[in-house]
Amino acid sequence: MRLSAALVAIFAATASCLYEDQAGKVDWFRKNIGGVTHAAFHASGAQRLALVATSQSVVAALDLRSGELVWRQVLPPDETIKAFAQHGKVLVSVGVAGRGAFVRVWSTQGALIWDALLPGPAASADAIDASVVGASVVVAWGGVVTALDVNSGAVQWKEDFNAKGSTVELSLVLAPTTPGHVQAHGLSRAADGSASHLAVTLALANGAVIERQSLRPSRAAQPSAAGLVATLDRAHVASLDGGGASLLVHAVGSSQIAEPKLPPTLPAAPSHLLPLSLPGHVALRLVDGSSALLKIGAAAKTLEVVRVVTGAHSLAVSTSKEGKAIVALLKEDAAADALRLETLAFDADGTHGEWAPEAETLPAERGSHGGVRAVWLNSYSRKDGSMGHRVLVSTEDDALRLLQPAKEGARAGWTREEGLATILPGSQMLPLPMEVVEAPEGGRPFFGFALPAVVAGIQRRLAAFGADDEAVAAAAAAKTAAAGGARYGDAHGFSQV
């Protein structure tokens, strides 16, 4: 009894408390971004940015040297970002929601230049692509190609390729080598179930159809709508045969589609094409988790195996304006809890050298962050003329890490813990006045003078909270409830916002 009383006295002496009017107030908050799904890199002067889009419907920029948040824009929670790419000084994001596709152009400093809503196709279409071609943002979705002015977002032209008795799914926008032209590629499926590769060429100025090709392979091969990939030199567009026996390769500018058989030396059947744009090459993911890098032969009649990678690994590519590319292979070494990086450099004509392994391994920290989910490569020239590489890694617990092999030894540049990130829709911080008010001696600070302004601000926000916002908030609540309790946290169970 005495011991219990002593313990109570000890803890009571060191305890602190809250006043009643302090309960529920925000002491601090952190701007998180969520699990990264897309990434690009931007350099301007001394600034180095990682531009990212996340599963929490956030577009953001991180300082590539420190990982600190430079800016973020929170999009409606029912919107899923499907396309994300940097073009010069602007960033294009395309998010799909129930109302349609939202095309947005941002400055690299986080300012929204414009946004536009494109109505959804009559039939559901998961694949959507957007690219800046000349002074236009060209979007292919379903059977429709739309061009918007890159500076204002005004619709310049719109072409619908849907026809009676067929379903069209365009999923790739390509800027061909011919000036003033733009191409869209996809799948056209007839009423009898047969499918063909659809390639349309349009005039960039007014959308006039220059050529429409419906390229039908043999009966033994059926094109797949998913995973359409163009080579970096814009010479070929490839898709995987639905049966998995061959690759369907269209030489851009021709009227034919080749069907080279997959090499029999592959250890397993193919699963899908990896979205890596390489000069004269494609990359396959196989059903056993391994990957194969294949070279497209002359006239696309043959495929040559460059390398097959087994075990836990990820592939990423970095490209240059000259049409060159560098492929990064990041292999996981579970026994050593390390990541091993190898690179392969491609010239614009598709020729390449040997794989170059980095001398140092990179820290994996699998026990803290899980395995690697996705990788993005940022290659740069060092002062001595050699090539350096930064690897941006998204892990299974939604952490984002920058790893950098350097001459003085490999290191983890920084880590952002995003496993606890929950972006709250519609929540806003109400700024209190910054004036200092003196309280009576021995009393508490008095903020009563600020109450009318705070109440007025809340009333304005409630008045502006319309039916659309209520629907968005309801969708966000349903999405959070559906996610269940599968969250990553620290030892204290803190939840970050």
Side-chain angles (χ1 to χ4, degrees), residues 220-221 240-247 259-263 270 303:
L240 191 63
D241 165 31
S246 61
L247 202 65
E259 304 173 26
K261 295 292 184 181
L262 294 174
L303 297 171

Side-chain angles (χ1 to χ4, degrees), residues 470-486:
E470 291 178 357
V472 169
K479 182 178 179 181
T480 301

Side-chain angles (χ1 to χ4, degrees), residues 11 16 29 46 84 86 116 144 151 164 172 184 204 223 240 270 275 295 297 318 351 367 415 428 432 435 483-484 487:
F11 286 114
S16 60
F29 72 99
F84 184 81
Q86 180 213 356
V144 179
N151 297 310
K164 285 186 177 181
L172 178 66
L204 187 59
L240 191 63
K295 179 181 179 180
S318 173
T351 58
T415 300
Q428 300 186 35
L432 290 175
E435 291 85 0
R487 298 193 179 280

Side-chain angles (χ1 to χ4, degrees), residues 368-371 373 394-400 417-420 488:
S368 301
H369 304 294
R373 178 182 292 164
S394 176
T395 65
E396 291 175 344
D397 74 341
D398 284 338
L400 186 66
E417 302 287 355
E418 295 289 343
L420 297 173
Y488 294 90

Side-chain angles (χ1 to χ4, degrees), residues 217-238:
S218 65
R219 287 186 173 271
Q222 288 294 318
S224 172
L228 208 62
V229 175
T231 56
L232 186 61
D233 50 12
R234 295 172 289 181
H236 299 94
V237 175

Side-chain angles (χ1 to χ4, degrees), residues 18-87:
L18 291 175
Y19 290 105
E20 183 178 354
D21 62 349
Q22 292 177 317
K25 298 296 170 47
V26 176
D27 290 328
W28 60 269
F29 72 99
R30 173 182 171 181
K31 292 184 177 180
N32 281 37
I33 58 175
V36 173
T37 56
H38 302 77
F41 301 95
H42 176 70
S44 178
Q47 189 180 53
R48 301 291 184 270
L49 296 178
L51 307 170
V52 300
T54 76
S55 58
Q56 295 276 4
S57 304
V58 173
V59 176
L62 306 174
D63 188 313
L64 201 55
R65 294 187 176 94
S66 65
E68 294 295 324
L69 183 69
V70 178
W71 57 263
R72 76 167 185 171
Q73 297 284 0
V74 181
L75 306 181
D78 63 335
E79 186 175 327
T80 302
I81 298 175
K82 293 283 191 178
F84 184 81
Q86 180 213 356
H87 299 270

Side-chain angles (χ1 to χ4, degrees), residues 7 38 50 110 114 152 166 251 255 257 270 283 289 295 461 479:
L7 290 174
H38 302 77
W114 58 262
S152 65
S166 66
S255 58
I257 185 167
K295 179 181 179 180
R461 286 167 171 81
K479 182 178 179 181

